[in-house]
Amino acid sequence: MERFHQILFAISILALSWLAMMAVHELGHVVGATVTGGSIERVVLHPLAVSRTDVAPNPRPETVVWLGPIFGCVLPLMLSAIVPRRLTMLNNIARFFAGFCLIANGAYISFGSFNAVGDCGEMLRTGTPLWAMLCYGAATIPLGSYLWNGLGSIVYFLESPSVVTAKTAYATFGVLLVVVIAELALFPQ
């Protein structure tokens, strides 16, 4: 049963990290649109879709587009910094999430720049040089990896299913269910 709890936790934390990463990223776009006088037409945060924020009019698209990945990294880092270390599992989850967000946003901006994918296309259209996008990934991806490295050995985690309690596994899965239900209800396709 310990292995089941470990697998349930791992799948739940990965899915939660993906959904929360997209939410924090889109929050950055929403804040950017709001502070620059843009009008938010639609935010897509559906568990079966890639997130998106549509802004029109968008008087400062360069600001709106960059605040997505900036918020997408800074807010999770702030969260991981404020979770007390004495709450070991919660601190590790926050640190994992921050690392996940840094790697995901960095990879998206740096590697997506070659094909002008999503936000990267807007960044290039509004004058962001390719080198700046590559530097963003060069800064965030190693920092995310560093945060993950500080969590300990993946080999130890895989060989020691007892490090995840049943309570932690079910709580994480429960939070995932709440997030999925909320996104389905609030952001129908």
Side-chain angles (χ1 to χ4, degrees), residues 48-67:
L48 300 177
V50 175
S51 64
R52 181 178 91 248
T53 300
D54 299 330
V55 180
N58 190 354
R60 299 292 307 265
E62 67 283 355
T63 301
V64 173
V65 75
W66 267 106
L67 281 181

Side-chain angles (χ1 to χ4, degrees), residues 15-158:
L16 263 173
S17 293
W18 177 255
L19 295 175
M21 179 273 303
M22 289 194 298
V24 174
H25 181 102
E26 296 311 319
L27 175 63
H29 292 315
V30 168
V31 168
T34 302
V35 300
T36 61
S39 181
I40 300 159
E41 289 186 334
R42 182 175 183 202
V43 176
V44 174
L45 280 177
H46 192 277
L48 300 177
V50 175
S51 64
R52 181 178 91 248
T53 300
D54 299 330
V55 180
N58 190 354
R60 299 292 307 265
E62 67 283 355
T63 301
V64 173
V65 75
W66 267 106
L67 281 181
I70 290 171
F71 265 62
C73 290
V74 171
L75 290 180
L77 276 172
M78 290 170 52
L79 172 68
S80 87
I82 64 170
V83 174
R85 288 193 177 196
R86 70 179 185 279
L87 302 175
T88 306
M89 183 57 84
L90 193 55
N91 184 274
N92 287 345
I93 290 170
R95 194 171 166 143
F96 177 85
F97 176 59
F100 185 95
C101 290
L102 286 159
I103 293 168
N105 279 285
Y108 174 47
I109 300 306
S110 59
F111 299 123
S113 65
F114 295 112
N115 293 323
V117 173
D119 290 345
C120 300
E122 185 68 15
M123 288 174 178
L124 293 167
R125 279 190 295 280
T126 58
T128 298
L130 179 62
W131 65 262
M133 297 165 73
L134 295 174
C135 285
Y136 185 80
T140 58
I141 294 170
L143 180 55
S145 298
Y146 171 78
L147 289 173
W148 278 0
N149 186 48
L151 293 174
S153 166
I154 188 73
V155 174
Y156 174 75
F157 178 79
L158 293 174

Side-chain angles (χ1 to χ4, degrees), residues 4 8-9 11-17 19-20 45 47 168-186:
F4 170 77
L8 180 64
F9 172 77
I11 290 170
S12 298
I13 204 67
L14 285 171
L16 263 173
S17 293
L19 295 175
L45 280 177
T168 301
Y170 292 126
T172 307
F173 182 70
V175 171
L176 174 61
L177 285 179
V178 168
V179 169
V180 167
I181 291 167
E183 284 190 357
L184 288 170
L186 297 171

